[in-house]
Amino acid sequence: MSAFLGPIHFWLYNKIKIQNNIVEEILDFSEEKGLNLRKDLYSEFGDGDLKELDQVIDTSNIHGWLQDQIIKVENKLAISVTQIINKNSDSIKTLKDIFYNNGVKASALNENSSVEEAFKSINDTLLDGMPCDHALGVISQDENEAVWKRYECVHSRFWEAAKGDIAVYYSLRDEFIKGLVEKANLNYEKIDETTSKISRR
């Protein structure tokens, strides 16, 4: 079956799995807070057991199948975070820790990693829709810093459906990036609402 799949499909599925791992930790946290979100979310969007891609993908509809997996994990993230924060706004602190720690875990960077490698790692781990969405674009990049811009928000519709705040998503995402580039001794900062930068410390 894997003969029908290309590297880009495995690359995208890995990004889905990284976000799914975050969702699973959030659902564990929700149970600590007395919210039983897992049952309803699993019922509507599937469970958190993402098997190897070549074992589960519909090779007659690779693009559609992957798009469906993105929709499921995006909905689970938006709904779980929104409901937790609605119950206790202070939970944002723990949610940020979950994202930061998952950024650290997902990182293959080290103190010798270049800015270019760090930006590639961000693009390799954060889920920003399908590759054809071209949600992000590099503005400038050299050995000391990389600046990029978000041209399209592919997440807002899920947060609107969950009656959540998309700004919460981006604050959590920022923590993931900070964790991801930590080992490379890089700073991450938001220049404005849609523009971000990593740079040498």
Side-chain angles (χ1 to χ4, degrees):
M1 183 179 284
S2 61
F4 297 95
L5 299 171
I8 194 169
H9 302 126
F10 288 94
W11 172 79
L12 180 57
Y13 191 58
N14 186 61
K15 299 192 332 167
I16 293 169
K17 290 171 77 172
I18 290 170
Q19 183 157 312
N20 185 71
N21 290 339
I22 294 172
V23 168
E24 288 300 305
E25 288 191 33
I26 290 171
L27 292 178
D28 289 341
F29 174 58
S30 76
E31 290 172 356
E32 295 173 15
K33 290 295 182 180
L35 288 171
N36 186 17
L37 304 177
R38 183 175 263 113
K39 181 179 178 182
D40 288 343
L41 290 179
Y42 278 13
S43 176
E44 187 168 359
F45 303 111
D47 64 30
D49 182 19
L50 297 188
K51 298 179 173 59
E52 292 301 313
L53 181 62
D54 54 4
Q55 296 175 11
V56 292
I57 194 167
D58 176 5
T59 53
S60 68
N61 185 23
I62 291 173
H63 186 280
W65 188 90
L66 286 166
Q67 180 71 66
D68 188 53
Q69 300 308 305
I70 291 172
I71 290 170
K72 288 176 178 178
V73 77
E74 288 277 34
N75 273 303
K76 285 196 281 188
L77 178 64
I79 293 168
S80 59
V81 167
T82 299
Q83 293 200 20
I84 290 169
I85 290 176
N86 284 347
K87 182 171 183 180
N88 182 354
S89 60
D90 287 342
S91 294
I92 189 67
K93 298 171 186 175
T94 301
L95 294 171
K96 285 184 174 181
D97 287 342
I98 289 172
F99 271 77
Y100 180 89
N101 291 333
N102 272 274
V104 172
K105 285 192 290 185
S107 180
L109 301 173
N110 58 56
E111 61 185 12
N112 297 315
S113 297
S114 67
V115 168
E116 181 181 5
E117 289 169 331
F119 179 72
K120 182 178 184 300
S121 184
I122 292 169
N123 195 40
D124 286 345
T125 52
L126 284 172
L127 187 59
D128 281 312
M130 300 290 282
C132 56
D133 289 324
H134 302 295
L136 303 179
V138 176
I139 296 174
S140 65
Q141 183 174 294
D142 59 31
E143 62 183 15
N144 294 313
E145 70 174 34
V147 181
W148 68 95
K149 186 177 181 64
R150 183 181 79 242
Y151 292 104
E152 180 181 358
C153 178
V154 294
H155 311 281
S156 58
R157 64 189 177 106
F158 304 106
W159 288 79
E160 288 168 4
K163 294 181 172 57
D165 184 355
I166 189 62
V168 170
Y169 166 76
Y170 282 108
S171 70
L172 296 173
R173 177 189 175 102
D174 289 344
E175 294 303 311
F176 181 92
I177 297 174
K178 290 175 186 176
L180 191 74
V181 303
E182 174 63 32
K183 296 175 188 174
N185 293 320
L186 295 169
N187 287 321
Y188 167 74
E189 62 181 294
K190 293 285 282 291
I191 297 173
D192 57 39
E193 186 179 341
T194 60
T195 312
S196 301
K197 178 174 78 170
I198 51 173
S199 57
R200 287 281 168 216
R201 288 177 179 167

